[in-house]
Amino acid sequence: DQQVKQNSPSLSVQEGRISILNCDYTNSMFDYFLWYKKYPAEGPTFLISISSIKDKNEDGRFTVFLNKSAKHLSLHIVPSQPGDSAVYFCAAIRGRNNNDMRFGAGTRLTVKP
Amino acid sequence: DTGVSQNPRHKITKRGQNVTFRCDPISEHNRLYWYRQTLGQGPEFLTYFQNEAQLEKSRLLSDRFSAERPKGSFSTLEIQRTEQGDSAMYLCASSTATGGPYQPQHFGDGTRLSIL
């Protein structure tokens, strides 16, 4: 059951422009969302998160937006840099003590110099 | 903070053999998780420990899969009677249970299993 979906397998943007990565979920019980970045031959690295009680969280060049009514979240990277080129995974957790984190299939971001 | 360490990085074995992977979490982390990742997919949760207690194991893929964390430090994931479909990347992650309800999980670089 694919409860977290990333419908764009890849995205290419120019250096300095905005990258927008999207994620949809189906389970309204999810109450915490995370984004991970993964380089080849490495494990995923935590990037940014947001609680379901918020609609925006910002950390430097990275901002995550949550639209609960649409069950949609997005990650904005501004400005994009070549080092941001990686696979980005959206993930969601349900319940305070539930550590069963569900991941999307990932979006491969390529930032061109 | 030396990060989450997984060994071996690669494992090639014949179908029907048993394999065991090891994970050493970040030292102050008391929660440890195992995931499986297949090509083109995100990590799939398998099981998790808080200290030595295995608090969730219903997502283990079959009874051929088992995990232990005997002293609440390192963990092992064993797959018995391996099958072709077990070929995947096996990821371990750890987190702390303090500092708020949701602490991000920190991942190791994984063990890639190939079944011949």
Side-chain angles (χ1 to χ4, degrees):
Chain A
D1 60 343
Q2 198 70 5
Q3 297 186 31
V4 178
K5 299 179 183 179
Q6 293 177 258
N7 292 319
S8 297
S10 63
L11 174 68
S12 181
V13 301
Q14 207 67 34
E15 180 180 7
R17 306 295 290 269
I18 184 172
S19 295
I20 300 176
L21 296 102
N22 293 303
C23 177
D24 297 292
Y25 60 96
T26 57
N27 190 338
S28 59
M29 300 299 289
F30 287 136
D31 56 5
Y32 203 73
F33 303 89
L34 307 94
W35 285 93
Y36 280 82
K37 178 171 72 173
K38 185 182 184 304
Y39 293 119
E42 295 183 9
T45 303
F46 170 72
L47 195 56
I48 192 169
S49 61
I50 188 167
S51 165
S52 61
I53 63 174
K54 297 185 176 182
D55 55 18
K56 177 182 176 181
N57 187 28
E58 189 172 355
D59 183 1
R61 297 185 297 113
F62 302 91
T63 303
V64 56
F65 295 92
L66 176 62
N67 182 335
K68 284 191 297 182
S69 61
K71 295 190 179 67
H72 177 83
L73 65 157
S74 61
L75 174 68
H76 292 209
I77 306 174
V78 183
S80 301
Q81 300 173 354
D84 296 329
S85 297
V87 177
Y88 288 79
F89 292 101
C90 170
I93 295 177
R94 175 174 62 91
R96 192 175 183 86
N97 294 313
N98 187 333
N99 289 273
D100 179 357
M101 188 158 60
R102 304 294 179 109
F103 282 83
T107 297
R108 180 176 299 278
L109 173 66
T110 302
V111 181
K112 297 180 178 179
Chain B
D1 178 356
T2 57
V4 177
S5 176
Q6 292 188 245
N7 288 288
R9 290 296 308 274
H10 300 94
K11 178 70 176 178
I12 302 173
T13 193
K14 293 181 180 179
R15 182 169 54 92
Q17 298 294 304
N18 299 344
V19 293
T20 300
F21 311 138
R22 176 177 170 127
C23 172
D24 288 90
I26 294 171
S27 58
E28 63 269 26
H29 286 180
N30 58 350
R31 288 182 170 171
L32 186 147
Y33 314 80
W34 285 100
Y35 291 84
R36 182 182 77 160
Q37 185 177 16
T38 53
L39 194 62
Q41 299 299 316
E44 177 185 11
F45 173 83
L46 296 178
T47 187
Y48 105 94
F49 295 83
Q50 179 150 327
N51 300 312
E52 65 275 11
Q54 190 172 13
L55 299 186
E56 175 58 64
K57 56 182 179 180
S58 66
R59 299 286 304 279
L60 285 168
L61 299 164
S62 78
D63 58 7
R64 297 184 297 105
F65 287 72
S66 63
E68 292 183 345
R69 195 183 183 196
K71 298 182 179 179
S73 56
F74 74 92
S75 175
T76 57
L77 176 69
E78 182 181 17
I79 308 174
Q80 295 183 329
R81 305 180 303 281
T82 52
E83 301 174 356
Q84 292 282 353
D86 297 333
S87 295
M89 177 71 81
Y90 291 84
L91 293 163
C92 175
S94 69
S95 71
T96 178
T98 59
Y102 294 112
Q103 293 298 312
Q105 298 177 22
H106 298 263
F107 284 82
D109 290 338
T111 294
R112 180 168 296 284
L113 174 64
S114 298
I115 307 298
L116 300 177

